[in-house]
Amino acid sequence: MVQQVTTDEQRGAVEQFLARFDLDYEPEHDDLLGVWDAGGQLVACGARQQALLKMIAIDPAEQDSPMFGQLVGTLVKKGFEAGVETFFVVTRPQHTLSFEAVNFRLLCLTDQVALLEYGPGLSAYIERHHNVRHHGNNGAVVVNANPFTLGHRYLIETAAQQVDRLYVFVVEEESSSFPFAVRYDLVCQGVADLDNVEVLPSGPYAVSAITFPGYFLRDSALVEVQQHQLDAVLFARQLAPRFTICRRFIGSEPYCAVTRRYNEALQKILPTLGIDVVEVPRATTNGGAISASTVRELLQQRAINTLEKLVPSTTLNYLESAAFNGLSPVAGRH
């Protein structure tokens, strides 16, 4: 019977059980479930962290039993009760069929990672934005805009001049110093005069933690490689065809090594999947590249009067308004 893991002893059993399958135990989760046999031995476990199902393992002797479906079904039920509508799982490619058998849909696949979803998910996302889909020679930019700067504006304006329609996907995940609603609104205001630009929330389909595997990839360097591959393939296989995107624009990255490696991965992978990658040199001021991280540093120093050369008037107006009450204490992205 599937039951909630509640004690330290049970959690220890789960950790040991996962180790049998070369899986790491991750303490971050909303639900942790286990299945014990009549002799008190753990024979299956699984967890849910918001919309992500993870740490799912079944004893080989139970592989052909209904246990897998019961375990996954219970995790999904608990997610529904918590208000989640669409669920994701990142797993090894050889386990894809098992999840497809319980109605998960494969979104994308790399040599070592598969991403699947259950629920309205991508179909609902595309339907919500049906009215802004246009045929033509279209391009895309993915930004976090934390906050929206003149550098973002330069990248978007430059890209928009080279395509019929430019889609700007704003990373929707809440892991930035500025809330998504603020970042999205500042992007919309900052490009409102560009007639061929459509601003969209990314949903969980671009630069999302959901697409970042980790607990079953022990090598940290391999984790990053697979993160980048999965994100690139997801964009090329799912977003690009639906918005007729044939070109992805990225800004050059002189400061952040992680972002630079991500850009290099896009330049390597996307052309093999039919998407051209165009790197746009960063906008500069006073000899240095304009960076959202610099803006955040100046805000920490309460030097708002120095931001006129770094952010457009729409962003500056917000930063000077009563609506802005400081930066959230979370990791900042560009």
Side-chain angles (χ1 to χ4, degrees), residues 33-240:
L33 305 180
V35 182
W36 280 263
D37 64 15
Q41 294 297 311
L42 184 67
V43 293
C45 66
R48 178 186 67 86
Q49 183 179 357
Q50 299 178 7
L52 179 65
L53 306 189
K54 62 181 186 178
M55 297 190 294
I56 296 174
I58 307 287
D59 189 288
E62 301 291 342
Q63 294 289 344
D64 296 327
S65 76
M67 190 177 295
F68 177 80
Q70 293 168 359
L71 177 62
V72 173
T74 304
L75 287 169
V76 167
K77 179 182 177 182
K78 287 185 173 294
F80 280 145
E81 292 170 351
V84 179
E85 295 183 351
T86 297
F87 300 84
F88 298 87
V89 65
V90 181
T91 188
R92 294 177 176 129
Q94 61 265 36
H95 301 318
T96 298
L97 291 178
S98 296
F99 285 97
E100 288 181 325
V102 291
N103 297 317
F104 275 72
R105 296 180 301 275
L106 180 64
L107 289 178
C108 65
L109 192 68
T110 73
D111 57 336
Q112 299 197 42
V113 174
L115 173 66
L116 301 95
E117 73 170 0
Y118 175 93
L122 183 65
S123 296
Y125 174 84
I126 298 302
E127 182 59 31
R128 282 197 302 273
H129 304 297
H130 178 76
N131 62 323
V132 299
R133 294 169 63 189
H134 302 274
H135 293 292
N137 177 31
N138 300 330
V141 171
V142 178
V143 297
N144 200 46
N146 187 34
F148 186 73
T149 68
L150 288 172
H152 296 112
R153 167 69 193 204
Y154 176 76
L155 170 63
I156 292 169
E157 188 172 1
T158 301
Q161 295 171 356
Q162 301 179 44
V163 292
D164 298 329
R165 184 78 49 173
L166 182 73
Y167 294 98
V168 178
F169 296 96
V170 183
V171 175
E172 195 165 348
E173 191 174 80
E174 293 289 8
S175 60
S176 301
S177 301
F178 288 82
F180 166 71
V182 170
R183 292 184 288 107
Y184 184 80
D185 188 51
L186 291 179
V187 175
C188 289
Q189 292 182 44
V191 301
D193 60 311
L194 301 177
D195 294 336
N196 68 331
V197 172
E198 301 283 0
V199 182
L200 299 173
S202 71
Y205 303 108
V207 197
S208 166
I210 286 173
T211 67
F212 288 178
Y215 69 96
F216 60 87
L217 297 172
R218 296 284 178 89
D219 185 336
S220 59
L222 180 60
V223 169
E224 182 178 282
V225 170
Q226 290 299 310
Q227 288 172 351
H228 296 165
Q229 285 189 16
L230 199 62
D231 191 69
V233 175
L234 180 62
F235 175 83
R237 296 295 192 209
Q238 301 296 349
L239 289 183

